[in-house]
Amino acid sequence: MTAEKEHTPLNVNSSAMTEEIDTSKMQLLKGGAFLTTVATAGMFAGFGSTLALAKKKSPEWFNKGLAGSAGVPESGASLALRALGWGSLYAWCGVGLLSFAVWKAMGVHSLAEFRQKMQSVFPAIPKNEVTDAQPVDWDSVFQTKS
């Protein structure tokens, strides 16, 4: 053995710690992907059901809105898409501005510091330990009154 190898610290737990960090990062990524998928599916389902309801209620007006005409140069679909774009931009910017204002007003510099400050401001939520919990009988919960 050389002198270099004798004086280097042997860290047995470093591989276990990196593996644990990698596992937690992978779990975080999987959770983010799941939430993104669910939100996207919900958005498409809501938008599709709204379009189907509009077409069912008045099919002639729905078909008029698909293409522009001489009286109305812009179709209803393109107008709705433009409104959705501007609304999304305003929503993202508004939430970002509000978050930035709260961040600066609190005077924090990291997420850990923000968490600690919020825990000191708001009361702690007590954890309820459920003992002898009975399973919910969903048939009785959703039973209609006869």
Side-chain angles (χ1 to χ4, degrees):
M1 264 184 15
T2 64
E4 289 178 14
K5 289 185 180 178
E6 289 177 355
H7 295 294
T8 56
L10 180 61
N11 195 352
V12 177
N13 293 332
S14 67
S15 64
M17 289 178 64
T18 57
E19 185 176 315
E20 184 177 324
I21 290 171
D22 290 342
T23 304
S24 65
K25 284 183 181 180
M26 184 57 76
Q27 186 176 10
L28 184 66
L29 286 174
K30 285 181 181 178
F34 173 74
L35 289 176
T36 302
T37 304
V38 169
T40 303
M43 185 177 64
F44 281 132
F47 189 70
S49 63
T50 303
L51 277 179
L53 184 65
K55 188 170 186 174
K56 183 179 179 183
K57 281 190 174 184
S58 58
E60 65 279 349
W61 284 103
F62 184 82
N63 290 332
K64 283 183 181 179
L66 288 178
S69 63
V72 181
E74 188 173 17
S75 70
S78 65
L79 180 66
L81 190 59
R82 191 163 42 110
L84 178 66
W86 281 107
S88 299
L89 178 69
Y90 289 148
W92 278 85
C93 291
V95 168
L97 184 64
L98 180 67
S99 301
F100 182 74
V102 168
W103 184 273
K104 286 300 181 181
M106 293 181 76
V108 295
H109 301 289
S110 67
L111 284 174
E113 191 178 345
F114 178 76
R115 180 180 55 85
Q116 289 174 350
K117 194 125 191 185
M118 293 305 286
Q119 284 178 345
S120 69
V121 171
F122 291 109
I125 299 173
K127 300 213 184 251
N128 294 336
E129 291 191 19
V130 179
T131 57
D132 298 332
Q134 299 295 325
V136 176
D137 183 19
W138 293 106
D139 292 332
S140 65
V141 170
F142 293 115
Q143 185 177 15
T144 58
K145 296 180 182 178
S146 301

